[in-house]
Amino acid sequence: MKRIAVYPGSFDPTTFGHLDIISRSSKIFDKLIIAVITNPNKKPYFSIDERVKILKSSVKEKNVEIESFHGLLVDFMKKKNANVIIRGLRAISDFEYEFQMALTNRKLYPEIETVFLTPAEQWTYLSSTLVKEIARLGGNVKCFVPEIVVKIFKNKR
Ligand code: ADP
């Protein structure tokens, strides 16, 4: 049986931290599906099409698929025959929210497991929010995100 994992997130935008987690998890699972979520509680800076396009041009691993989705993650997972959720853990500050999500998803769908991966040290402080803040203030974000993100930021200004 194929081991299929789903890495859900806003990816608004994709950073080198996300790409690090994608690379690590693609080595552990037969197939990794990146599920780009439209979170009704967050107003994204990048449109869903932009976020998917960024990922498609930045992810090089062959066993990775990229899709957008709305609705319940567990329903998406059932449809895809996936039973592992990948999440990135950076600092203690991520823990409380991630712990709550993992246990809630388990309640909704007991067969799934959430697997937490930690990125390379240099990305442990990096977040999409931080990148947007720097870009908005005119700073250079080249060392945090793929080139395509830098370009889209420039076009939006
Ligand atoms: P969400 O809105 O679901 O938190 P994000 O795109 O912000 O979406 O994050 C998706 C996942 O990637 C989360 O598990 C988050 O902790 C993880 N992540 C975000 N940035 C990094 C990073 N720099 N290193 C490792 N994991 C990260």
Side-chain angles (χ1 to χ4, degrees), residues 9-46:
S10 314
F11 303 96
D12 185 38
T14 296
T15 67
F16 289 143
H18 291 122
L19 293 179
D20 181 300
I21 298 295
I22 291 165
S23 157
R24 286 170 203 280
S25 38
S26 73
K27 290 184 191 122
I28 305 174
F29 296 94
D30 296 312
K31 183 159 105 179
L32 176 70
I33 303 169
I34 305 176
V36 187
I37 312 167
T38 310
N39 185 340
N41 299 322
K42 288 185 184 174
K43 197 182 170 306
Y45 183 81
F46 292 87

Side-chain angles (χ1 to χ4, degrees), residues 60-65:
K60 302 288 174 241
E61 288 78 6
K62 296 270 179 293
N63 61 337
V64 179
E65 290 175 9

Side-chain angles (χ1 to χ4, degrees), residues 61-87:
E61 288 78 6
K62 296 270 179 293
N63 61 337
V64 179
E65 290 175 9
I66 295 140
E67 287 191 34
S68 63
F69 95 104
H70 35 242
L72 269 183
L73 176 61
V74 292
D75 292 338
F76 178 80
M77 307 233 352
K78 281 178 194 163
K79 214 169 69 192
K80 298 289 171 187
N81 261 322
N83 57 2
V84 172
I85 300 173
I86 300 289
R87 293 290 285 176

Side-chain angles (χ1 to χ4, degrees), residues 7-18 20-21 37 39 42 86-90 94 97-98 116-120 123-129:
Y7 180 26
S10 314
F11 303 96
D12 185 38
T14 296
T15 67
F16 289 143
H18 291 122
D20 181 300
I21 298 295
I37 312 167
N39 185 340
K42 288 185 184 174
I86 300 289
R87 293 290 285 176
L89 263 194
R90 287 161 291 188
D94 277 340
Y97 174 72
E98 294 296 342
F116 296 103
L117 295 175
T118 299
W123 312 127
T124 49
Y125 64 92
L126 184 57
S127 72
S128 301
T129 308

